[in-house]
Amino acid sequence: MNFLFRSSVFLLLFLLLVLVGTLVPTRLLLNSALYSITNPIPGHVELNASRHSIEIPLNCSALDQTRTCPTNYPTTFAQNTDSWLPPTCPEYFRWIHEDLRPWARTGITRDTVERARRTAYFRLVIVKGKAYVEWYKKAFQGRDVFTLWGILQLLRKYPGKVPDLELMFDCVDWPVVRSADHVGANATTPPALFRYCGDDDSLDIVFPDWSFWGWPAINIKPWEPLLNELMEGNKRMEWKNRDPHAYWKGNPAVAKTRQDLMKCNVTENQDWNARVYAQDWTRESKEGFKQSNLANQCIHRYKIYIEGSAWSVSEKYILACDSVTLLVKPHYYDFFTRSLVPGHHYWPIKDDDKCRSIKFAVDWGNAHTNEAQAMGKAASEFIKEDLKMDYVYDYMFHLLNEYAKLLNFKPTVPPRATEFCSETMACSAKGLEKKFMLGSMVKGPANAGPCTILPPYDPSSLNAVINRKESSINEVELLEKKYWDNKKQ
């Protein structure tokens, strides 16, 4: 009896569901359950139903027909807010406020932007979610191309969310906007110029470098797949089984400080615990970069980071290796390195006494293996968690958003500017350039918005950050002095 009753109830419920299904339009069910997109064009939009995400493939055929960017891409960002709170951005995002502080009171006028044109490689204009570029000169090894490619991927990730703006970008390593030129009662507001690094004497606005999307000229892959390879490379050899010396390989010709480092190599008469090698990129290119696989270089307990003509993109690759990063005192910083803490993420090395400093660092680490291993792990975890590609895009978004808030004029598209989109760049690309573009392309709009940026530092908290770093470096230098004093006895 109970069985017959339950069967009857089940049958009635089933018939009711079928009836509802015939009354509610299928399209309405799909739209409410899966996604909403403005004016979709059949064949251009692919839906990954399991992730409820929209994928927009390259539409090279439309580009061939119209010679213009496709018009089907979403222009608004629909954030999924169901039971979701954005994460807090990593600490280094707070430096965005510091980099833009020179214009916090005055704002950024058109003249402020135009005065940056003197050294700029291109002008970027974003209007209604579309990117327009006015080129001034070509950058070394495609830096400008992959920087722009990265910005276009940001627009794909957050369509319609990046505000209208206009900026100048310089692709040379070293900063040029000297802070000393803009002090005093009669000083002019500094020009607003974007680039990849800064220093304590400059006011250039720091932006993520081109290599996050790949560096075809030297076969460095886009950051997302390369980071995965580096993490896998870390697993191949336990830290305590690695070569117990300090390793560096690079081009010493670009800077005197690197040429000085080469003197620390092992000789018949002296071993500074360093194994350093000059990289011949011309030869590597001819031989297919067989000796330059970064994931295969995580076999040393210690890896040296040293600047080139300015900061070097190699820093993130070295920090990712689980090795203790021996960081030769830097003059420059990029967008994320200001959150690195000496003694926790890396071991500071003197710039004016490199060999002895490296010798002590390696001896100390080999005598304190647990502490040294923990330092290497702290750095690689920072890179893995706080420098994932999602955060690189979020940094770009927040920087451009805060920058746009300061503009005192309405951005307009210059007559000589050209609209750029993923199709105009990737469809005509060849070889590694095309491979890296496709490998780093954002497939479609994000399911959620960017992380939440922390407020600016107040003077006391900023001083605390600076003092903590100085205190940690002083502590290491005292240990080093004691080590060498004992050697003299």
Side-chain angles (χ1 to χ4, degrees), residues 294-367:
L294 294 171
N296 292 339
Q297 295 179 15
C298 297
I299 57 173
H300 307 270
R301 289 186 184 180
Y302 312 90
K303 294 191 72 176
I304 300 168
Y305 169 76
I306 186 169
E307 294 177 334
S309 57
W311 124 105
S312 170
V313 301
S314 65
E315 187 163 11
K316 56 183 175 290
Y317 311 128
I318 292 170
L319 288 163
C321 249
D322 270 4
S323 309
V324 178
T325 298
L326 306 184
L327 200 151
V328 179
K329 184 180 180 180
H331 180 74
Y332 302 93
Y333 53 77
D334 67 6
F335 75 103
F336 74 88
T337 53
R338 286 171 283 186
S339 277
L340 296 175
V341 179
H344 177 64
H345 294 114
Y346 67 89
W347 187 275
I349 298 295
K350 292 179 180 178
D351 184 41
D352 57 355
D353 196 6
K354 297 180 185 69
C355 300
R356 282 159 48 96
S357 198
I358 290 170
K359 166 72 174 171
F360 166 65
V362 173
D363 280 353
W364 182 92
N366 288 338

Side-chain angles (χ1 to χ4, degrees), residues 58-61 63-64 145-146 149 153 213-217 219-220 222 422-441 443:
L58 282 178
N59 193 346
C60 295
S61 59
L63 180 69
D64 291 339
V145 172
F146 275 81
W149 175 258
Q153 303 321 297
W213 297 273
W215 194 353
N219 197 36
I220 290 183
S422 296
E423 281 78 6
T424 59
M425 299 194 75
C427 291
S428 60
K430 306 292 182 183
L432 277 182
E433 184 175 283
K434 189 181 190 77
K435 180 180 178 181
F436 289 171
M437 284 182 177
L438 295 179
S440 61
M441 188 175 74
K443 304 305 180 186

Side-chain angles (χ1 to χ4, degrees), residues 268-297:
E268 291 182 1
N269 301 318
Q270 181 66 57
D271 188 352
W272 296 110
N273 288 334
R275 304 293 184 264
V276 297
Y277 306 91
Q279 174 75 298
D280 185 340
W281 283 113
T282 302
R283 179 179 177 182
E284 275 296 291
S285 177
K286 291 178 180 178
E287 296 179 356
F289 302 98
K290 293 178 182 178
Q291 305 301 318
S292 301
N293 189 316
L294 294 171
N296 292 339
Q297 295 179 15

